[in-house]
């Protein structure tokens, strides 16, 4: 059974930084796409960043240059999201997700097969 467990959310002032982690277990496919999504109450989840099994990354325009998605060195089962220069509009529930398919630009939720439980990020002005 595949499980994704996020950690690292919290509250920070605008301009600050946070790092999110997502530990995957039980996944046995070599090809995959891992991603972080963000959800604000009343809105659809939107993809923030993704990374495929070859290390190719895709970012939403709103976070380019501020967020970095990566795998933890020597631990490819742990997905990271380094968030810097945070803005109040970055606030939301952040979910990690895993897909059997390749990453796609502007991917929507239905590309992904597995989801974590979410971790809250709050950025105050």
């Amino acid at each position: 059974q595949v499980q994704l467990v996020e950690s690292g959310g919290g509250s920070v002032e605008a301009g600050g930084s946070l790092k999110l982690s997502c530990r995957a277990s039980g996944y046995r496919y070599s090809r995959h796409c891992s991603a972080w999504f963000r959800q604000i109450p009343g809105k659809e989840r939107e993809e923030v960043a993704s990374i495929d099994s070859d290390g190719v990354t895709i970012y939403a325009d709103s976070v380019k240059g501020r967020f970095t998605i990566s795998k933890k060195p020597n631990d490819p089962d742990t997905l990271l999201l380094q968030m810097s220069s945070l803005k109040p509009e970055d606030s939301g529930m952040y979910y990690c997700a895993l897909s059997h398919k390749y990453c796609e630009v502007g991917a929507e939720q239905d590309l992904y097969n597995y989801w974590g439980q979410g971790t809250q990020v709050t950025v105050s002005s």
Side-chain angles (χ1 to χ4, degrees):
Q1 182 179 359
V2 176
Q3 287 191 316
L4 303 178
V5 180
E6 299 106 333
S7 61
S11 297
V12 66
E13 293 186 351
S17 299
L18 281 175
K19 179 182 276 189
L20 306 183
S21 295
C22 174
R23 188 74 164 76
S25 60
Y27 190 79
R28 295 291 175 258
Y29 297 92
S30 58
R31 185 184 77 186
H32 60 272
C33 176
S34 303
W36 289 97
F37 277 72
R38 174 171 66 205
Q39 187 170 28
I40 301 168
K43 292 195 173 182
E44 294 283 323
R45 290 182 190 181
E46 61 170 351
E47 189 176 74
V48 171
S50 63
I51 183 168
D52 69 18
S53 41
D54 295 325
V56 178
T57 57
I58 300 172
Y59 293 94
D61 288 343
S62 60
V63 306
K64 281 180 182 175
R66 300 188 299 119
F67 289 13
T68 302
I69 189 170
S70 63
K71 296 292 185 68
K72 188 175 182 180
N74 301 317
D75 183 9
D77 291 332
T78 298
L79 181 70
L80 303 175
L81 185 68
Q82 176 67 53
M83 305 185 292
S84 303
S85 302
L86 282 161
K87 305 175 182 180
E89 52 263 42
D90 293 320
S91 297
M93 187 70 78
Y94 282 70
Y95 297 89
C96 66
L98 187 59
S99 171
H100 299 313
K101 300 178 181 179
Y102 288 115
C103 297
E104 297 177 2
V105 175
E108 297 187 354
Q109 298 181 63
D110 57 8
L111 179 70
Y112 294 90
N113 306 96
Y114 309 102
W115 293 87
Q117 81 285 356
T119 186
Q120 179 68 39
V121 170
T122 302
V123 184
S124 58
S125 57

